Amino acid sequence: MAAGRTYTAEEVAEAIFQDSGSEFGGNASDSDFEDSQADNSDFQVSSSSESADSEPEPEHAAAQPIPVRHLRNHRDRQAAQIEWELYEDVDPYDIVWLQDYSERQGILVDTTNFTPVDFFYLFMPEAAFELISVETNRYAMQYLDDTADPPPRSRFLSWIDTSKAEIKAFIALQIAMDLCQKPSIRSYWNKFWLTYTPFDSIMSRNRFELIQTFLHFNNAELQVPIGKRGFNPLFKIQSLLHIVDPTYMQVYGPRRELSLDESMVKFKGLIFFRQYLPAKPTKWGIKEFILAEAKTGYALKSVVYTGKTSFQRDAGVGLSEQVVLDLLEGC
């Protein structure tokens, strides 16, 4: 194996900068540089003090410069060909293609002398309370008819049909429990003077728990089993959603600027379409797509996401596009 050629740092630098534009070729294959590459020898660089002890270089090698390939940056060449144009600091964009928005905006009902409960009834009409009372009574009768005789002291034996007024009182107590949180349902009927809440003046604890046991919003006998055609994951509340959802657009007219986003309803129970979104403040819950007014955040429409089958997609339409089309329908 041929001995490796030794170069000083000064010789290497001089050879590189002497002819930076030349290409490999010609007689370069006869040089010691090419011979050393062909023999897989090491390219060694030493200081000027070490070169003094090395063997004398051949005359033809000293006369032949080391060819070096010089590659120009392709991006630099493209940047040099860019022609810049200057524009005035004025945005010429004009939404001429949009029609004039002439819909009535703001509250669409007369709210003169309204109390807080009157605003609540705007979004929870009488039909909703009627539905809850009817379906709760229906489910209680179905349960008692299908179940074997309960024990003599079972509170189920004390069931009597509920009414629309009682359902209103039941929901009022549910709202009050959220405003005044206690460790258990039983504690709301505790008569300790320091933490007393007058729930017992509305209904007894046994009656409250009995209504909560039989509370229903749809006829359970009509539910399609999971896995069958026509199965609806929201069947048990679908009838109530049909009553409540349209009220949001009936009582308020939005501005032209709308916003569409997803929201989480906090829920930690067992349900197959429960979502986990770590970037959201509420990480576990039920995901909804919300159409809202951009300026006020007023929710106009919502769709519960129960999976890819939540929306009946048109041919060639993706999920995100279908969500937008469904929420904007009728707006």
Side-chain angles (χ1 to χ4, degrees):
M1 180 180 294
R5 175 68 186 281
T6 304
Y7 294 89
T8 65
E10 291 79 1
E11 291 173 340
V12 172
E14 181 181 359
I16 291 176
F17 293 106
Q18 183 174 3
D19 187 13
S20 60
S22 62
E23 300 288 341
F24 288 109
N27 297 327
S29 60
D30 298 331
S31 65
D32 292 338
F33 179 74
E34 290 293 342
D35 291 338
S36 62
Q37 286 185 337
D39 296 335
N40 296 325
S41 61
D42 297 331
F43 184 82
Q44 303 175 5
V45 179
S46 64
S47 62
S48 57
S49 61
E50 295 175 350
S51 63
D53 299 333
S54 62
E55 297 181 358
E57 301 178 5
E59 295 181 358
H60 69 279
Q64 180 67 32
I66 298 176
V68 178
R69 181 184 297 272
H70 178 70
L71 298 177
R72 293 190 61 187
N73 193 322
H74 180 66
R75 294 183 177 179
D76 292 342
R77 291 198 299 268
Q78 285 185 336
Q81 299 174 357
I82 296 177
E83 297 181 1
W84 299 95
E85 298 182 8
L86 299 178
Y87 290 89
E88 298 180 359
D89 190 15
V90 177
D91 186 5
Y93 179 74
D94 187 14
I95 50 176
V96 295
W97 54 275
L98 285 178
Q99 300 179 358
D100 293 336
Y101 188 73
S102 58
E103 299 292 334
R104 182 181 173 185
Q105 304 175 20
I107 300 176
L108 304 179
V109 296
D110 183 11
T111 58
T112 305
N113 299 326
F114 260 41
T115 62
V117 71
D118 293 325
F119 285 101
F120 175 76
Y121 288 147
L122 289 178
F123 306 101
M124 194 72 173
E126 293 292 325
F129 297 106
E130 183 68 27
L131 171 72
I132 297 173
S133 63
V134 169
E135 296 302 336
T136 299
N137 291 331
R138 188 201 308 274
Y139 178 73
M141 296 307 299
Q142 292 172 352
Y143 179 85
L144 295 175
D145 289 343
D146 295 341
T147 306
D149 293 338
R153 301 185 63 178
S154 174
R155 65 184 179 185
F156 291 161
L157 296 177
S158 63
W159 170 260
I160 57 175
D161 285 352
T162 185
S163 63
K164 185 168 59 174
E166 191 177 34
I167 292 297
K168 289 182 180 180
F170 174 83
I171 294 177
L173 293 181
Q174 292 280 4
I175 297 174
M177 286 180 177
D178 187 61
L179 297 176
C180 177
Q181 298 186 7
K182 292 188 176 184
S184 64
I185 292 180
R186 182 182 296 270
S187 62
Y188 287 98
W189 278 264
N190 192 317
K191 295 185 178 182
F192 179 59
W193 67 270
L194 189 60
T195 59
Y196 173 70
T197 47
F199 279 38
D200 56 347
S201 64
I202 307 300
M203 67 175 62
S204 67
R205 178 176 57 86
N206 286 339
R207 181 60 177 174
F208 178 89
E209 291 179 341
L210 199 58
I211 294 176
Q212 186 168 254
T213 300
F214 293 129
L215 187 68
H216 263 65
F217 309 100
N218 211 338
N219 187 354
E221 293 182 345
L222 300 180
Q223 184 174 11
V224 178
I226 188 171
K228 301 291 185 179
R229 178 182 291 274
F231 170 72
N232 181 7
L234 301 176
F235 172 82
K236 290 190 175 182
I237 62 171
Q238 194 65 66
S239 298
L240 183 64
L241 293 178
H242 287 328
I243 297 174
V244 174
D245 282 351
T247 60
Y248 295 96
M249 295 190 65
Q250 292 172 359
V251 302
Y252 186 84
R255 297 174 177 83
R256 180 170 61 184
E257 295 77 16
L258 302 177
S259 175
L260 194 151
D261 200 359
E262 59 184 23
S263 177
M264 289 286 285
V265 178
K266 188 175 182 179
F267 182 77
K268 294 185 178 180
L270 297 178
I271 195 169
F272 76 89
F273 54 86
R274 185 184 63 170
Q275 299 285 312
Y276 174 67
L277 300 179
K280 295 288 186 180
T282 303
K283 295 178 173 53
W284 289 98
I286 300 173
K287 184 169 73 172
E288 290 185 317
F289 294 104
I290 305 293
L291 177 67
E293 187 183 47
K295 185 175 182 179
T296 63
Y298 178 86
L300 298 165
K301 294 178 68 175
S302 65
V303 176
V304 178
Y305 180 74
T306 59
K308 295 182 179 180
T309 59
S310 301
F311 304 89
Q312 296 182 357
R313 302 193 205 175
D314 300 333
V317 177
L319 176 61
S320 299
E321 185 179 355
Q322 192 65 56
V323 170
V324 176
L325 293 176
D326 286 1
L327 288 177
L328 291 177
E329 185 178 1
C331 293

